[in-house]
Amino acid sequence: MFRTTLAGLLAHRLRLVLTSLAIVLGVGFIAGTFVLTDTIDAGFAQSFAADADKVDVVVTPKDGAGPDENLPESALAAIKAVPGVKDAQPMVSGDVPLIGKDGKVVGDYPTAGVSIPASRIKITSGRAPSAADEAVLDENTAKTQGFTPGATIAVLDHAGKRQEFRLVGVFDVGLDQELAYRGAVAFTPGTARRVTGAKGFTEIDVLSSGPSQESLRTAVAAATGEAKVVTGQERADEVAQRNHVDTSSFRLGLLLFGAVALLVAALVIYNTFSILVAQRMREMALLRCIGATKRQVFGSIVLESAVVGLVSSVLGLLTGLGLGAAAVAVLRAVGTDIPTGTVSLSPQTIVVGMCTGTVMTMAAALLPARQATRVPPVAALRTQVEEHTFRTGVVRMVASALFVLAGVGLTVAGVLQEPSQAALLTVMAGGVLVFFAVLILGPVIVRPLSGLAGWVPARLFGVPGRLAVDNARRNPKRAATTTVALTVGVTLMTFMAVLTSTMRTTVSGRLDQQFPADYILSSQTGTIPRSIADTLRANRDLATVTEFRGEKAKVNGHDYKVGTVTQSSIGTAIKPEASSGTMDGFGAGDVAVADDVARDLGAKVGDTVTVTSKGKSTPLKIVAVLKSDVSMLPSITMAEQSFERHFGRVDDAQVLVNTADGVDPQRARTIVDAATAAYPAVKVGSTTEIRGQFDEALDSILMVVTGLLALAIVISLLGIANTLSLSVHERTRESALLRALGLTRPQLRGMLSVEALVLGLVGAIVGVVLGTAYGWAATTAFTTDVSFELPIGQILLFIAASGLAGVLAALLPARRAARASVVGALAAS
């Protein structure tokens, strides 16, 4: 039987090519994921090891020190006096907002102003700063802002004054993720202290003139007292732990898509082996006639699947190595800050890939192998394959009913819960159970769905169209297994489309509710001069100007940020929504608190709270508890006059501006920009820009997910092509009879194409229904006040693309069937 099985494989190599390709793609995706993440991990390990060799001892403020508690300048002199110290280089760090070429500060957060020790700074262009009027920029900021060595750059110092420097170089921030995110300007130590206003040093790097790192660390620790002193290796390990990109979540996310691809591949394999067993019924019966036992027949199918799985897994590993190398090449080409090591297949990746591909293939072949043992020896006397009629069966209906009840129950329970991660997971679990029910019920629902999907083609294409629809319906078990592979991909794509569309509509509505303004003024420094609002308010082209202010204080002994808003804007430009009480007549002595603050304080409407700061206390009466999820007011809002009386004159933290009716938006933007032109730290934004950024982020997510799910779609199309190829072979005599009765070659090709079209549409219909239902359920379980949005255009596109993809998958099988000789096919049968 072993030799017979291998001979059968060698004699019919092409019949399993598409099956092997499905496993190759699935294993390749998983192996590529491991190759990519292993390469990134190796790159980080190499980088941290290299950094550990640059410094012998590192001195930093003691653990638990506050953000302003730096090493005193006396510590540097004390360290330099320690025997064995070759050199000690200090590091200064603070905020120094960089002004871009547009006259406004760069980014959402202040650029870091640093003085990096010469032993650690990595100059990639130009040189390090050596004079008080020189500076260098990090590579990413220099590139995005268009600065090159020789240019003049400007920053805001700690007092908010503009300072100009000559750019003499560009440097690499290395593995410091904070500097990579914020951007950095590096100066000489003296200039860095002057510009940032920093007192002392954030770090001192010590180089040894001979002693080991441990002995030097002990000597330096004795000289610095309470400071934290570690060796260079310990510091590298610490930085690695703090800044290392954790690839486990990234790997898990990609592996989930790989699991989907393998699930679809398993369905393709199951369908392929089921068809092969049906086609080889006479072969199996002949083996039984000459003495093969049921166990041997079963073993031959499993052995065949094992060989296919092993070969496919090896090819999948090689494919994964190529995919991983390509991903690493892309990372290097786009200039990311993620270090990468040597691309290779680790033993873990090889084991996972081989086991996953082989086990998945063998598991998918078990049921067809069991079916092969039921072939009686008398079947060898039959002249053609007997087509089995499908019967629903009580077990199938009971099992599917149980899955439906459990899945719907979990889904409803998740939707009825308070929106949370647990509710979302409950809904997802319900979706998995419902999908299993659909998988079991597939042969039952494929008949009516084929009739629905084929109603139009059957009338458009005449006799070939009606024959195609009948062919799609006559073997529902095979059709269901073929279409369910496509259903998986379409379900997930529809789910993501509904989810992103609904979130886009929901967030857009909330932006309109929470930011009822045309323009938003904010500042990197945290404060906006009040003169800006006064200037804007004096312009008749602007309808309302709303100022927000805030200060830290204790409320009933607890630390909070207490704020206020322009009194005249309450109820007009800003319409807060209260869960209890009201802000009508809100004035001196009143306070409104968010519902979460009210719960923390154990307070309600009518209670009195005391605001205390700088030795001054003010009692206030709670007149409203606001809904924190929809309120844009500060969590503790005082009346404007009470706030002024308690805290004094405080600059604005944020300003909202509304344009008067009929004013051209471009003119209004010019007015707002002119009012803020003299203040580089004050940036002007709009709800349109915020909405655009959110839409761009959602579109990027949808694009990535769709790209990853495309692998599952490709594998499912291989399944349709495989099924049709084997079906064409199985129906050789039938096709020849149709040709003999007058069906032309184009009509035969059209019949098979319409059959594939119907199969593709059936898979798409089920996927769209499931994806839409669980897209709605997921958004409901994820957040409150959902504005459901059905992306009809995208859904129609998915359905059309699935049908078209099915037709494309049928091109080669249809061509082969049409080219077959009528006489030869009838004689061979």
Side-chain angles (χ1 to χ4, degrees):
M1 285 300 295
F2 180 77
R3 289 194 298 272
T4 301
T5 301
L6 294 182
L9 278 171
L10 293 174
H12 304 283
R13 294 183 295 274
L14 294 179
R15 72 185 179 189
L16 293 175
V17 167
L18 293 178
T19 305
S20 301
L21 189 55
I23 290 295
V24 168
L25 291 176
V27 173
F29 190 92
I30 289 179
T33 297
F34 277 103
V35 168
L36 175 60
T37 52
D38 287 347
T39 304
I40 292 175
D41 286 338
F44 271 102
Q46 292 169 9
S47 298
F48 286 123
D51 277 358
D53 292 336
K54 295 179 180 178
V55 181
D56 294 303
V57 172
V58 178
V59 183
T60 56
K62 63 182 179 181
D63 289 333
D68 297 327
E69 295 184 50
N70 290 334
L71 296 169
E73 295 188 18
S74 58
L76 179 61
I79 293 171
K80 287 185 174 181
V82 173
V85 171
K86 180 181 179 181
D87 191 16
Q89 300 176 346
M91 178 174 179
V92 178
S93 180
D95 292 341
V96 178
L98 173 70
I99 300 175
K101 292 185 177 180
D102 61 354
K104 293 294 182 180
V105 292
V106 173
D108 295 326
Y109 295 94
T111 310
V114 298
S115 168
I116 301 177
S119 61
R120 287 174 47 198
I121 192 168
K122 305 172 185 175
I123 299 295
T124 58
S125 177
R127 59 178 176 82
S130 58
D133 63 342
E134 296 178 345
V136 293
L137 267 178
D138 71 281
E139 285 181 308
N140 186 55
T141 303
K143 181 179 179 180
T144 56
Q145 295 301 315
F147 289 121
T148 56
T152 299
I153 63 172
V155 301
L156 296 179
D157 63 16
H158 66 96
K161 294 182 179 180
R162 180 187 177 97
Q163 303 274 350
E164 293 189 351
F165 296 88
R166 186 162 56 91
L167 187 66
V168 296
V170 175
F171 73 102
D172 180 8
V173 297
L175 302 171
D176 194 318
Q177 299 301 306
E178 182 182 354
L179 292 186
Y181 178 72
R182 294 173 55 189
V185 187
F187 311 94
T188 59
T191 302
R193 286 199 300 273
R194 176 175 59 84
V195 175
T196 62
K199 305 296 182 183
F201 310 113
T202 56
E203 179 181 315
I204 298 175
D205 291 352
V206 184
L207 302 179
S208 172
S209 61
S212 66
Q213 287 189 355
E214 281 295 336
S215 60
L216 186 60
R217 183 190 69 80
T218 302
V220 170
T224 53
E226 295 184 353
K228 180 180 178 181
V229 184
V230 296
T231 64
Q233 183 60 55
E234 291 170 340
R235 179 62 170 173
D237 294 341
E238 181 183 312
V239 174
Q241 185 176 4
R242 186 174 71 243
N243 291 324
H244 186 12
V245 174
D246 185 6
T247 57
S248 59
S249 299
F250 174 61
R251 178 183 296 165
L252 178 61
L254 289 178
L255 288 179
L256 287 176
F257 288 99
V260 170
L262 276 179
L263 171 63
V264 174
L267 294 171
V268 170
I269 295 163
Y270 166 74
N271 209 30
T272 301
F273 275 95
S274 295
I275 298 172
L276 288 176
V277 167
Q279 290 179 351
R280 293 158 60 189
M281 188 175 295
R282 292 185 65 190
E283 178 185 326
M284 301 294 178
L286 283 171
L287 288 173
R288 294 291 307 282
C289 285
I290 61 176
T293 64
K294 288 185 176 182
R295 179 176 295 181
Q296 287 176 314
V297 172
F298 180 86
S300 69
I301 300 296
V302 174
L303 176 62
E304 188 172 321
S305 68
V307 173
V308 171
L310 280 170
V311 173
S312 303
S313 297
V314 171
L315 295 176
L317 286 173
L318 297 177
T319 302
L321 181 61
L323 290 174
V328 171
V330 169
L331 288 177
R332 290 172 179 167
V334 299
T336 62
D337 294 320
I338 300 176
T340 52
T342 304
V343 178
S344 62
L345 284 173
S346 67
Q348 175 195 14
T349 303
I350 295 174
V351 171
V352 170
M354 293 297 296
C355 290
T356 302
T358 305
V359 171
M360 184 69 74
T361 307
M362 293 177 67
L366 288 179
L367 285 178
R370 183 171 174 268
Q371 182 183 351
T373 62
R374 297 178 177 178
V375 178
V378 73
L381 302 177
R382 297 176 183 150
T383 57
Q384 64 182 31
V385 176
E386 179 184 354
E387 190 165 297
H388 296 284
T389 57
F390 171 75
R391 291 179 297 177
T392 303
V394 176
V395 175
R396 182 183 297 272
M397 295 305 296
V398 170
S400 60
L402 290 176
F403 274 113
V404 167
L405 289 174
V408 172
L410 280 175
T411 303
V412 172
V415 169
L416 294 179
Q417 290 180 39
E418 286 292 325
S420 62
Q421 185 177 2
L424 183 61
L425 291 176
T426 303
V427 167
M428 293 297 99
V432 172
L433 294 180
V434 169
F435 180 79
F436 281 139
V438 171
L439 190 63
I440 298 171
L441 278 176
V444 178
I445 63 178
V446 77
R447 283 181 184 270
L449 287 179
S450 295
L452 174 64
W455 188 80
V456 173
R459 282 154 180 77
L460 285 178
F461 298 100
V463 173
R466 291 194 293 274
L467 286 172
V469 174
D470 289 340
N471 284 335
R473 301 177 65 184
R474 74 181 186 183
N475 194 331
K477 192 172 182 181
R478 176 192 301 172
T481 313
T482 302
T483 57
V484 77
L486 184 60
T487 298
V488 174
V490 175
T491 297
L492 293 174
M493 290 178 68
T494 305
F495 171 83
M496 285 302 304
V498 171
L499 186 67
T500 53
S501 179
T502 300
M503 290 302 296
R504 182 180 285 113
T505 303
T506 301
V507 170
S508 180
R510 289 187 180 179
L511 281 174
D512 292 337
Q513 182 180 21
Q514 295 185 15
F515 292 94
D518 296 313
Y519 302 102
I520 303 171
L521 274 59
S522 58
S523 175
Q524 271 193 4
T525 59
T527 59
I528 302 172
R530 292 174 67 164
S531 58
I532 293 179
D534 295 336
T535 302
L536 293 171
R537 193 174 286 112
N539 195 301
R540 293 183 179 181
D541 290 330
L542 304 179
T544 60
V545 177
T546 305
E547 301 166 75
F548 290 80
R549 306 182 192 106
E551 283 288 338
K552 293 179 180 179
K554 287 189 178 293
V555 181
N556 286 3
H558 299 278
D559 292 326
Y560 283 104
K561 186 76 173 288
V562 179
T564 190
V565 67
T566 304
Q567 196 76 21
S568 59
S569 296
I570 300 177
T572 55
I574 298 175
K575 299 176 181 178
E577 189 173 342
S579 57
S580 62
T582 179
M583 292 193 72
D584 293 340
F586 188 71
D590 296 336
V591 67
V593 300
D595 47 17
D596 54 346
V597 173
R599 284 193 297 270
D600 292 342
L601 295 176
K604 61 184 182 301
V605 172
D607 290 349
T608 299
V609 295
T610 302
V611 176
T612 304
S613 66
K614 299 179 181 178
K616 188 174 183 179
S617 297
T618 301
L620 300 169
K621 180 182 177 181
I622 299 177
V623 296
V625 175
L626 308 177
K627 296 181 179 179
S628 57
D629 57 340
V630 296
S631 174
M632 64 178 298
L633 290 177
S635 57
I636 299 178
T637 304
M638 297 174 64
E640 191 174 14
Q641 54 269 51
S642 298
F643 185 89
E644 292 271 344
R645 193 179 304 121
H646 184 94
F647 294 102
R649 186 176 176 83
V650 176
D651 280 337
D652 297 331
Q654 188 180 59
V655 178
L656 304 186
V657 181
N658 273 317
T659 307
D661 293 337
V663 176
D664 180 64
Q666 188 61 45
R667 172 174 170 75
R669 180 60 187 253
T670 301
I671 293 170
V672 176
D673 285 341
T676 61
Y679 305 94
V682 179
K683 305 183 76 171
V684 180
S686 68
T687 51
T688 302
E689 293 173 353
I690 295 174
R691 188 179 289 110
Q693 292 170 358
F694 182 77
D695 287 345
E696 185 178 345
L698 280 181
D699 290 339
S700 298
I701 293 172
L702 184 61
M703 186 184 302
V704 170
V705 172
T706 302
L708 293 172
L709 288 176
L711 180 65
I713 299 293
V714 169
I715 294 176
S716 65
L717 295 181
L718 291 175
I720 293 178
N722 209 12
T723 300
L724 284 175
S725 296
L726 296 172
S727 181
V728 164
H729 175 74
E730 183 179 291
R731 291 169 6 205
T732 300
R733 180 181 176 82
E734 177 186 316
S735 299
L737 284 172
L738 288 173
R739 289 286 311 283
L741 291 172
L743 199 70
T744 65
R745 286 183 175 180
Q747 286 178 320
L748 180 60
R749 287 197 297 267
M751 181 189 75
L752 293 172
S753 297
V754 171
E755 182 179 345
L757 170 67
V758 171
L759 291 176
L761 291 178
V762 168
I765 291 171
V766 177
V768 163
V769 171
L770 287 176
T772 300
Y774 278 91
W776 168 81
T779 53
T780 304
F782 182 71
T783 185
T784 57
D785 300 323
V786 174
S787 301
F788 182 70
E789 179 74 15
L790 187 64
I792 297 176
Q794 285 179 287
I795 288 175
L796 292 177
L797 181 62
F798 292 156
I799 295 174
S802 299
L804 178 62
V807 173
L808 293 176
L811 289 179
L812 289 179
R815 182 171 177 269
R816 188 176 65 181
R819 293 178 62 183
S821 167
V822 176
V823 176
L826 289 172
S829 301

